Amino acid sequence: IMTATFRKLALSAIFAVSTVGTLTMTSCTKDEPLVCTTGLTGSDCKTEVRASYYNSYKGSGSDNTGNTYTDWTAKFTALGTDPTKMNMQLLNDKLASMEALTVTLTSNTAFNIDSKTSGNSTFSGTGTIDASKVTLSITEKETLSGITTTYIITFNNMVKQ
């Protein structure tokens, strides 16, 4: 009985030592690429991606009820120190502000529009962005007299100005 117990303990010890050795041997090396968190890039992951998006992008869109939005602008600016956050100002063709929204990068080229209630409407949505173009899908849920209407406004190709 003592021999069987000793063998189990010895095998357990050998397994534990080999596991620790394997984990130690698979640690990072200089040759492995650095993977930056969302919002950061560069060889040291200290460059904010959003800084290249601080621009105005102009384009046309439509909504699910047939309305069109010609020459509208989405203007992106800095927001705080979180590298995934930006302000997005939506401007109509006369450059009048239609809505100020906050976006959160979900990858270095995609974002969510943070939910915001303004008056009788709640806004949310998604988009893609790079240094030269933006796509947007904005959902507006408007409640008047207890009836909620949903509008989905899509801008497929807003170009940097």
Side-chain angles (χ1 to χ4, degrees):
I1 297 175
M2 187 96 144
T3 307
T5 303
F6 178 76
R7 263 190 265 155
K8 287 180 184 177
L9 284 173
L11 286 174
S12 295
I14 290 169
F15 178 74
V17 169
S18 65
T19 301
V20 169
T22 301
L23 291 175
T24 303
M25 297 302 287
T26 59
S27 64
C28 295
T29 68
K30 281 186 168 185
D31 296 334
E32 292 179 12
L34 185 63
V35 178
C36 302
T37 59
T38 298
L40 298 172
T41 191
S43 60
D44 59 359
C45 292
K46 292 184 179 178
T47 303
E48 291 189 1
V49 173
R50 67 181 183 163
S52 65
Y53 303 152
Y54 299 158
N55 299 300
S56 294
Y57 302 82
K58 185 181 267 188
S60 298
S62 60
D63 68 24
N64 58 316
T65 65
N67 294 316
T68 58
Y69 305 86
T70 304
D71 291 332
W72 279 44
T73 300
K75 182 178 180 181
F76 292 84
T77 57
L79 175 64
T81 59
D82 181 341
T84 66
K85 295 284 191 181
M86 293 185 288
N87 289 312
M88 181 183 77
Q89 187 76 32
L90 192 61
L91 309 167
N92 68 12
D93 60 331
K94 308 267 189 280
L95 298 180
S97 178
M98 301 309 292
E99 201 60 51
L101 301 165
T102 301
V103 303
T104 301
L105 291 171
T106 56
S107 76
N108 285 353
T109 57
F111 60 86
N112 286 334
I113 298 171
D114 300 342
S115 183
K116 175 189 175 185
T117 300
S118 178
N120 296 322
S121 295
T122 300
F123 298 90
S124 61
T126 59
T128 62
I129 189 167
D130 63 37
S132 62
K133 67 184 176 310
V134 168
T135 64
L136 290 174
S137 178
I138 302 170
T139 301
E140 175 186 5
K141 292 186 178 187
E142 181 181 52
T143 303
L144 297 171
S145 303
I147 299 170
T148 300
T149 305
T150 301
Y151 302 96
I152 300 171
I153 307 164
T154 305
F155 294 92
N156 286 322
N157 194 17
M158 300 181 93
V159 180
K160 178 182 172 184
Q161 299 301 293

